[in-house]
Amino acid sequence: MIYNELGKTGMRLSNLGFGASSLGGVFHDIREAEGIEAVHTAVDNGINFIDVSPYYGHYKAETVLGKALKEIDRNKYYLSTKVGRYGENGVNMWDYSAKRVTDSVYESMKRLNIDYHDVEFADLNQVVDETLPALVKLREQGIVKHVGITDLQPENLKWVIEHVPAGTVESVLCFCHYSLNDEMLLDYLDFFEANNVGVINASPFSMGLLSQRGAPAWHPAPEPLKDACKRAADYCTEKNYPIEKLAVQYSTSNPRIATTLFSSANPKNVLKNIDFVNEPMDEQLVKDVQEIIGDQMRVRWANT
């Protein structure tokens, strides 16, 4: 496992990180014991960064993760969670007020069985003059160690950083923009580095586009992009090199990006992805796959 610096936070993160959304049954139902084992497997095999949110499974992911973390030495991992988006009884809710943000941090700590967070992310469209100042106050109190933001759109992350005092944002999390079919995040690395902001990537499989079974029915990508990724996956299969392997290797290969999050509640899949990143990447196959994807590179989907 390779470990990279996250901006100026002093944290060295494994280049493959564990996204705990699967523990909330976000993609399909899980067996809780298996999900807990998946967390242990990740940490035991060198993954030291775990990301979660109260929104995942409407608090379920944090609850299951908390059970797993009770049995793991706190010095073995860094933990991030989010604020602003929640869910009750199947209904999504958003609240970025200072009070709700502060309450949310303490609620997450209780579910996670911890006494501090390493990184705290404010979700989409955060209010720069209320949400982030509340998190900075918690940082000053030592409740959270570092403050970061997350968004699908890298331009939104840039805008927030430009509109808050220097040092407010220490890290960003962006997803689906550093993968085999979309490396838009590269356009923003100079800006983030100039502002001492560390970068976290997520969704190396582009929410299922880069997989042998193909994109799920709910995937918002346009059909030409889905078709291009399927052709790329079929080509990798012909080469006896699963596109999942190439996808996770590519997304974790840039040292300017501290870590890339994947999510699985299956211990076997966790080990498989760890094995992938510890093997050398086929550089020529990357070029071949991106040529197959062709003019669908960087194509965005609806509502993005």
Side-chain angles (χ1 to χ4, degrees), residues 154-176:
E155 59 267 33
N156 290 348
L157 298 170
K158 180 175 182 288
W159 185 89
V160 171
I161 292 167
E162 291 173 331
H163 288 79
V164 295
T168 296
V169 176
E170 298 171 84
S171 62
V172 294
L173 187 160
C174 191
F175 51 101
C176 294

Side-chain angles (χ1 to χ4, degrees), residues 7-71:
K8 301 299 181 181
T9 64
M11 295 189 292
R12 291 181 57 84
L13 307 186
S14 52
N15 65 337
L16 186 65
F18 185 84
S21 57
S22 290
L23 301 183
V26 173
F27 307 111
H28 49 74
D29 290 338
I30 70 159
R31 290 175 52 245
E32 184 174 295
E34 187 174 65
I36 291 172
E37 184 183 351
V39 178
H40 291 175
T41 299
V43 176
D44 288 346
N45 286 276
I47 289 178
N48 72 348
F49 184 71
I50 303 171
D51 175 70
V52 70
S53 167
Y55 172 69
Y56 299 153
H58 293 177
Y59 309 119
K60 180 179 178 182
E62 285 193 333
T63 301
V64 175
L65 179 59
K67 293 179 181 179
L69 296 181
K70 284 173 64 176
E71 303 169 13

Side-chain angles (χ1 to χ4, degrees), residues 26 52-59 62 81-88 91-97 100-101 104 107-108 111 120-126 131 150 152 175:
V26 173
V52 70
S53 167
Y55 172 69
Y56 299 153
H58 293 177
Y59 309 119
E62 285 193 333
T81 192
K82 305 177 181 72
V83 297
R85 190 177 185 184
Y86 314 96
E88 294 279 2
V91 178
N92 294 332
M93 300 179 298
W94 289 263
D95 188 343
Y96 293 93
S97 67
R100 185 68 188 98
V101 165
S104 178
E107 291 166 7
S108 290
R111 284 189 291 268
E120 190 73 25
F121 294 105
D123 223 345
L124 190 65
N125 294 322
Q126 52 261 300
T131 307
T150 181
L152 173 62
F175 51 101

